[in-house]
Amino acid sequence: MTIKTTTPSSNGIKVLLIYTGGTIGMLENPITKGLEVCDFAYVAEHVQEISQLPFGIDTLTFEPPCDSSDAGTDLWVQIAEMVTKYYDAYDGFVVLHGTDTMAYTASGLSFMFENLGKPIILTGSQVPIGKLRTDGKENLLTALEVAASKDNEGRAAVNEVCILFNNNLIRGNRATKVSADQFNAFQSPNYHNLAEIGIEIDFNQHSMLPHPTGPLTTHTKLDTNVLLLKLFPGLSPEVIDACFNAPGLRGIVLETFGSGNAPSNERFMKVVREAVARDIVIVNVTQCPQGKVQMERYETGRTLLSAGVLSGYDMTAEAAVAKLMYLLGLLEDSEQVKYYMGVNLRGEFSPC
């Protein structure tokens, strides 16, 4: 991958734009009518306004670009390595990414960077950049402006991994995709946006993570032996057995009902207790878009708590999965993993 200068800097600020693929750079195949990923040159051709920005923009394109459905943890690691490699040379970073897995990538990156002092802004579009009504142009230009912004002390206005979409600046590990066909595709159900974006960009500084005091540390070792299981009425005990006994399994994110409730029948609870006894870390998050897990509230929740299931508080499922992968890759001792699942590391859940 070679860095190319798209826009020279006139004010000393430089942003690195990392293009991984996604709808924003897709073109309709004239035969199949399906959308296929193109290179960044196609995107740049349709966003001539980039040249009017006062700060410098360099671009780095993944070859080949990938659809977001193929954007797994290997891509997280590649992005993290690129940011780390060029961290000192740029004031901020923008990652063009497909929308389907953007919240997972944003959550993963948020944990992988410790003491992050610069913005990493993920964005993309619902409509390809070549279409007349694309949302990609505004998303991209605004993301670049956010990545280049400074506060009154000359520091980065944002020092987090974020998603910028439809004028919403969202903490990366608080975001979830809520619509497949609306421009307002991402929301932060349990935390307010980090900026009010209109004619001006007004950053909510009191909502940001504190600026770091130590050097950047990047953690790229992830353990993907993690399961995300959504409970539903009629879920077969045999299926649960098979899932909980998968070879190599180390962590489970359990999407439960309401405030953290699950079936209280003995067969289900026996499987849960046996998994906990095998040092499998089980984290309880709610299926509800808003609200948090409160396992003490109902008897069914207290049963899970007594079995050793951890509260995921108001974390999104994406954040809980990413955090488990990060901690399991970082720590060998499952007791330490359990402890740090309850520590608010990157603003991923609200204090009790």
Side-chain angles (χ1 to χ4, degrees):
M1 289 180 283
T2 303
I3 289 182
K4 297 179 181 179
T5 299
T6 300
T7 304
S9 178
S10 62
N11 63 3
I13 296 174
K14 291 177 65 178
V15 172
L16 181 61
L17 174 59
I18 301 172
Y19 174 62
T20 69
T23 298
I24 192 168
M26 286 186 171
L27 185 64
E28 187 178 274
N29 185 306
I31 299 174
T32 67
K33 303 301 180 182
L35 293 175
E36 298 176 352
V37 181
C38 298
D39 61 22
F40 181 73
Y42 176 73
V43 178
E45 177 186 337
H46 288 84
V47 194
Q48 298 291 324
E49 294 87 345
I50 285 179
S51 63
Q52 300 174 30
L53 297 171
F55 47 87
I57 301 168
D58 290 346
T59 56
L60 187 64
T61 301
F62 277 65
E63 297 292 352
C66 73
D67 185 274
S68 64
S69 297
D70 294 320
T73 53
D74 288 346
L75 183 70
W76 304 1
V77 171
Q78 286 181 285
I79 295 171
E81 289 175 343
M82 289 298 101
V83 170
T84 304
K85 182 177 180 179
Y86 299 109
Y87 187 75
D88 293 333
Y90 293 93
D91 296 273
F93 302 85
V94 170
V95 179
L96 285 179
H97 192 290
T99 61
D100 287 348
T101 55
M102 188 183 289
Y104 285 98
T105 300
S107 293
L109 291 174
S110 76
F111 295 112
M112 295 167 74
F113 290 109
E114 185 178 354
N115 291 325
L116 182 65
K118 298 180 181 181
I120 301 173
I121 313 297
L122 281 76
T123 193
S125 70
Q126 293 284 69
V127 178
I129 199 73
K131 296 288 187 179
L132 185 63
R133 295 187 60 247
T134 182
D135 55 328
K137 183 181 292 188
E138 184 175 347
N139 286 344
L140 174 55
L141 291 171
T142 306
L144 288 167
E145 285 201 65
V146 169
S149 295
K150 302 290 185 178
D151 65 14
N152 293 332
E153 298 180 35
R155 303 174 301 184
V158 178
N159 58 295
E160 303 189 24
V161 178
C162 297
I163 287 178
L164 186 288
F165 221 89
N166 196 46
N167 289 329
N168 293 312
L169 183 65
I170 302 171
R171 177 170 293 160
N173 56 39
R174 289 289 195 151
T176 191
K177 187 175 181 182
V178 297
S179 178
D181 55 12
Q182 298 295 313
F183 287 149
N184 193 28
F186 290 89
Q187 290 183 8
S188 175
N190 292 306
Y191 197 72
H192 36 273
N193 290 355
L194 300 183
E196 306 301 324
I197 301 176
I199 296 174
E200 302 291 339
I201 301 175
D202 296 320
F203 294 101
N204 299 322
Q205 295 293 344
H206 65 281
S207 302
M208 306 280 186
L209 294 176
H211 283 273
T213 56
L216 176 74
T217 302
T218 307
H219 304 277
T220 57
K221 185 180 179 183
L222 302 169
D223 192 328
T224 58
N225 290 298
V226 171
L227 169 70
L228 173 61
L229 180 63
K230 183 171 186 173
L231 298 183
F232 59 87
L235 179 60
S236 164
E238 289 76 19
V239 170
I240 294 174
D241 282 344
C243 291
F244 276 52
N245 289 284
L249 184 65
R250 293 192 65 202
I252 299 171
V253 175
L254 205 59
E255 280 197 71
T256 58
F257 310 121
S259 57
N261 303 307
S264 57
N265 67 78
E266 182 52 35
R267 183 165 182 181
F268 174 75
M269 290 309 306
K270 180 175 182 290
V271 173
V272 170
R273 286 191 292 267
E274 288 174 348
V276 171
R278 298 196 307 274
D279 284 336
I280 293 175
V281 181
I282 305 179
V283 182
N284 184 355
V285 299
T286 176
Q287 297 177 11
C288 299
Q290 290 183 301
K292 63 183 178 181
V293 165
Q294 296 175 286
M295 287 192 284
E296 303 88 352
R297 191 170 182 180
Y298 295 99
E299 184 60 34
T300 50
R302 288 196 292 269
T303 303
L304 288 175
L305 187 62
S306 66
V309 174
L310 308 177
S311 174
Y313 306 101
D314 61 353
M315 275 192 285
T316 64
E318 295 94 330
V321 167
K323 187 175 183 178
L324 256 185
M325 288 181 177
Y326 160 68
L327 290 175
L328 290 169
L330 185 69
L331 304 167
E332 292 291 334
D333 185 358
S334 63
E335 292 304 314
Q336 283 190 298
V337 173
K338 292 176 184 178
Y339 171 78
Y340 283 106
M341 280 302 301
V343 176
N344 193 8
L345 298 175
R346 311 282 193 270
E348 65 274 12
F349 64 79
S350 304
C352 298

